[in-house]
Amino acid sequence: MKRLVCLAIGLVLMMNAYAVSYAEEAEANHFTIEPQFSGLHGYNDLRSTFNEGLAWVQLSGDEIGVIDRSGKVLLDNLSLNHYSFTSYMFSEGLSRYRDSQGAWVYLDKNGNEVIRTTYDTVFNFREGLAAVERDGKWGYINREGKEVIKPQYDEIRDDDGYGYNAGTAGFYEGLSAVSKGGKWGFINKSGQVVVPLKYDWVNNFNEGLAVVSRNGKWGYINKFGTEVIKVIYDDAINFSEGVASVLRPNPAGNGYNWLFIDKNGTVIKDFKNKYEIVYPPEEGVAVASYYAGSPDTRYALLDRNGTLIVDLGNKYAEVDGFSEGLAWAEKPDGGVVLIDQAGQEVVEPYSQIRSSTAGLIGVQVNDRDPFGFMRNPLDVPSAWAEAEVNTAASLNLVPLEIDYGYAANITRADFSKLALNLVSVKTGKTVEELLTQSGKKIKDGVFDDTFDRTVLAANALGIISGRSTNKLDPNGLITRQEAAVMLTRVAGMLGITKGSGEAVTYTDAKAIASWAGESVAVIGSVEDKTSNTIVMGGVGSSRFAPEEPFTKQQAFITMKRLFNAV
């Protein structure tokens, strides 16, 4: 195996690899990663090629490897039977892998074997634990490989039918769906049964609720096991963006009567036998299919209220949900395209296309051609932000693994990675050197919701704090006042304790939390010396909007301005 440079101590090397502008990269038919792979792996055929900035790919024959978002091969000389349905992905810094001796092991992002097991099957880590199976019974191990829940269950719920192949089954929102003797319930991470095993079928928790089935009827429970939406429907699909699809008996006696409901069970939209199936919205858009054999229209796009956005006619034989603004669609005569939320084709037909993940689209132009990757054509910085975002990238301030999704709101984890990378680049020191210099060490186990070494290093250095005793909330969105506090901490690490300009007065100053007020004032008076613009100002109308989220492109720009303030 080729060794990766350790991401935790070599963050400075994890830089933007693009030599041209984002707009040029996103031009149609422009391959960011040239076609060279005989296959792509993911948790199903369409999505999740990249996870945590890395993707497993088929290099040639049975040889597989790992690439980063620049296409650099980081691991190779690994094998997987070309006809195997098993696929691999990184989750919480580790990926399961079955070695040449048939043993299941876990590899870190350096390619190091960190856990060797004797189990018949293992799954990826989710929420700090990994499902393992021996002699047909399932249990869980922790990140040290210690068995914390003895294998005893007949099944665990997979991820919409794909988890067993890709190993994504496990804990969701603190609970795992398990079964014994044909009955399903839920256990917590201590192995305690918190929802009795009494249902015929359950799905994983999502948005605080889980689908359950009993005697052919379907409904929803909360994490206490309370049936908050009665088990009365003929079918039910997990909540997404506060909306679920349920099927009730059709008063007309035939066809399908799908509904959109909210978390109170209140009907948002009754589709009255119009569609064969309606999926809950993803990224604000739902896909609905008409009855098989419909002469004019097969698919339609709806908003979260069930209102029609566009009928797609009979142009597509199949349409999948949205990912990063685009949906996979297969044409009746073959060939696959990607459509936007208005139903317009934005990626032309190819033999195979993977949905956009981490800003990249896997593409096979013709049958038997190798796969390559294109940039998502929608994923470019806004016009007002592009120049400064490009400058930030040229200064190596944007880590490669998060260099996409510019208009999306940034998470606490990604913001902490940006902030730590700024310190590393500006000082010329690796993260390990920064830790040593400050006398700090990464504390394993301090949080139970993140195991990312870079995020934990940012916490050790005082850049980011937890939201509670053992919760960092890495996937939570950072607020503007939280960003101001973290930026001020970074400024202090770079020797900036006050600004050179006058602090801005905001009309919503009273809404700024007491713990953030001083930081908002400081970072609002520190200026980028190359442009005389303050690092972080208001949102217009003299407002700071402390509780509003912060986009990635805004975060990139503030890092560039703070870099130039020293």
Side-chain angles (χ1 to χ4, degrees):
M1 293 181 208
K2 294 180 180 177
R3 290 182 60 84
L4 288 98
V5 178
C6 179
L7 295 185
I9 64 174
L11 186 63
V12 69
L13 297 180
M14 196 167 58
M15 306 303 180
N16 191 302
Y18 304 118
V20 296
S21 75
Y22 296 96
E24 291 172 320
E25 282 286 352
E27 287 179 0
N29 305 318
H30 182 97
F31 277 96
T32 296
I33 301 173
E34 289 299 320
Q36 58 191 287
F37 309 113
S38 58
L40 304 178
H41 287 273
Y43 90 90
N44 64 29
D45 288 342
L46 305 180
R47 301 193 188 185
S48 294
T49 303
F50 277 90
N51 287 277
E52 300 184 358
L54 303 177
W56 284 88
V57 295
Q58 199 92 24
L59 297 172
S60 62
D62 292 342
E63 183 187 5
I64 61 175
V66 175
I67 62 171
D68 65 17
R69 292 186 65 256
S70 72
K72 180 181 179 181
V73 177
L74 304 176
L75 299 177
D76 59 7
N77 295 323
L78 301 169
S79 62
L80 176 69
N81 186 297
H82 191 67
Y83 298 100
S84 171
F85 289 105
T86 301
S87 60
Y88 303 135
M89 59 184 282
F90 277 91
S91 176
E92 299 183 0
L94 301 176
S95 176
R96 67 174 185 157
Y97 172 68
R98 197 166 194 173
D99 69 12
S100 57
Q101 284 76 47
W104 282 101
V105 302
Y106 290 92
L107 305 178
D108 66 15
K109 291 183 178 181
N110 299 312
N112 298 317
E113 180 186 302
V114 295
I115 303 173
R116 172 166 286 268
T117 81
T118 59
Y119 296 102
D120 299 330
T121 308
V122 304
F123 285 172
N124 281 323
F125 278 88
R126 285 191 56 86
E127 300 185 11
L129 298 179
V132 295
E133 178 264 328
R134 178 182 285 129
D135 299 328
K137 299 296 183 182
W138 290 90
Y140 282 90
I141 61 173
N142 64 18
R143 291 176 66 86
E144 286 71 50
K146 180 181 178 182
E147 199 170 273
V148 294
I149 299 176
K150 181 181 177 180
Q152 58 190 286
Y153 295 103
D154 299 335
E155 292 182 81
I156 59 172
R157 173 59 56 221
D158 66 355
D159 180 14
D160 292 332
Y162 296 105
Y164 278 85
N165 291 335
T168 57
F171 277 88
Y172 285 75
E173 299 185 4
L175 299 178
S176 172
V178 296
S179 76
K180 276 185 180 180
K183 293 297 182 180
W184 287 85
F186 291 88
I187 60 172
N188 64 20
K189 292 182 182 180
S190 298
Q192 298 171 316
V193 175
V194 295
V195 177
L197 280 64
K198 63 181 182 179
Y199 293 103
D200 300 327
W201 193 93
V202 301
N203 208 341
N204 295 306
F205 273 90
N206 192 54
E207 298 186 7
L209 300 178
V211 175
V212 297
S213 176
R214 183 179 58 241
N215 299 325
K217 295 296 181 179
W218 303 73
Y220 297 83
I221 62 171
N222 63 19
K223 292 182 182 180
F224 299 102
T226 304
E227 293 177 3
V228 293
I229 297 176
K230 292 182 180 180
V231 183
I232 58 175
Y233 296 102
D234 286 353
D235 201 354
I237 302 175
N238 265 5
F239 274 88
S240 174
E241 300 175 10
V243 177
S245 298
V246 294
L247 179 66
R248 72 179 181 187
N250 191 346
N254 56 20
Y256 299 88
N257 197 167
W258 284 95
L259 313 171
F260 271 174
I261 61 172
D262 65 19
K263 291 185 178 181
N264 295 315
T266 303
V267 175
I268 298 172
K269 180 75 172 183
D270 184 342
F271 294 103
K272 298 184 183 298
N273 202 32
K274 185 174 184 179
Y275 302 110
E276 184 172 8
I277 190 168
V278 184
Y279 294 97
E282 294 181 273
E283 300 182 359
V285 179
V287 176
S289 64
Y290 288 86
Y291 290 101
S294 173
D296 300 317
T297 305
R298 297 184 183 181
Y299 284 92
L301 303 182
L302 317 174
D303 67 18
R304 68 179 311 277
N305 295 314
T307 303
L308 179 69
I309 297 173
V310 61
D311 262 318
L312 298 176
N314 57 7
K315 294 189 294 184
Y316 305 115
E318 186 175 354
V319 179
D320 194 52
F322 280 85
S323 175
E324 299 182 356
L326 298 173
W328 180 98
E330 183 179 22
K331 289 180 171 289
D333 57 353
V336 181
V337 299
L338 294 180
I339 61 174
D340 64 17
Q341 295 184 347
Q344 300 298 309
E345 294 180 10
V346 296
V347 176
E348 65 184 58
Y350 291 106
S351 175
Q352 291 194 53
I353 296 178
R354 299 291 188 268
S355 293
S356 180
T357 58
L360 296 175
I361 300 166
V363 172
Q364 182 187 49
V365 177
N366 298 301
D367 288 341
R368 300 186 180 183
D369 283 350
F371 283 86
F373 289 88
M374 298 177 179
R375 284 187 75 96
N376 182 334
L378 303 184
D379 189 20
V380 295
S382 301
W384 61 265
E386 183 173 9
E388 285 193 275
V389 169
N390 285 336
T391 301
S394 70
L395 293 170
N396 293 328
L397 298 178
V398 184
L400 179 61
E401 67 170 301
I402 63 174
D403 185 20
Y404 66 94
Y406 307 102
N409 294 325
I410 193 166
T411 64
R412 286 166 49 81
D414 283 352
F415 195 86
S416 67
K417 291 178 182 180
L418 270 177
L420 183 52
N421 186 57
L422 167 60
V423 178
S424 181
V425 173
K426 191 65 179 180
T427 62
K429 292 181 171 64
T430 66
V431 176
E432 185 64 34
E433 288 170 339
L434 291 170
L435 288 166
T436 300
Q437 175 183 289
S438 65
K440 305 292 185 181
K441 291 184 178 180
I442 292 175
K443 297 178 181 178
D444 292 314
V446 65
F447 299 111
D448 64 13
D449 59 356
T450 185
F451 305 92
D452 188 297
R453 305 296 288 177
T454 304
V455 176
L456 292 175
N459 171 253
L461 290 167
I463 294 173
I464 187 171
S465 302
R467 279 190 164 161
S468 63
T469 302
N470 60 350
K471 302 289 185 186
L472 186 121
D473 190 19
N475 297 320
L477 301 180
I478 195 166
T479 64
R480 288 176 51 80
Q481 62 185 357
E482 286 177 326
V485 170
M486 289 174 63
L487 286 166
T488 301
R489 290 171 181 167
V490 170
M493 294 173 71
L494 299 176
I496 301 174
T497 58
K498 62 180 181 178
S500 56
E502 293 185 8
V504 180
T505 300
Y506 298 106
T507 57
D508 58 353
K510 290 183 178 179
I512 300 172
S514 58
W515 50 263
E518 184 177 351
S519 295
V520 171
V522 170
I523 211 63
S525 63
V526 176
E527 293 185 346
D528 180 336
K529 294 179 180 179
T530 65
S531 62
N532 295 322
T533 51
I534 58 175
V535 172
M536 184 179 182
V539 296
S541 302
S542 298
R543 295 173 55 246
F544 184 76
E547 294 290 346
E548 289 186 9
F550 210 43
T551 65
K552 271 190 175 180
Q553 59 193 5
Q554 288 172 328
F556 295 169
I557 288 170
T558 58
M559 296 301 166
K560 169 259 180 187
R561 292 178 181 178
L562 186 53
F563 178 90
N564 286 329
V566 181

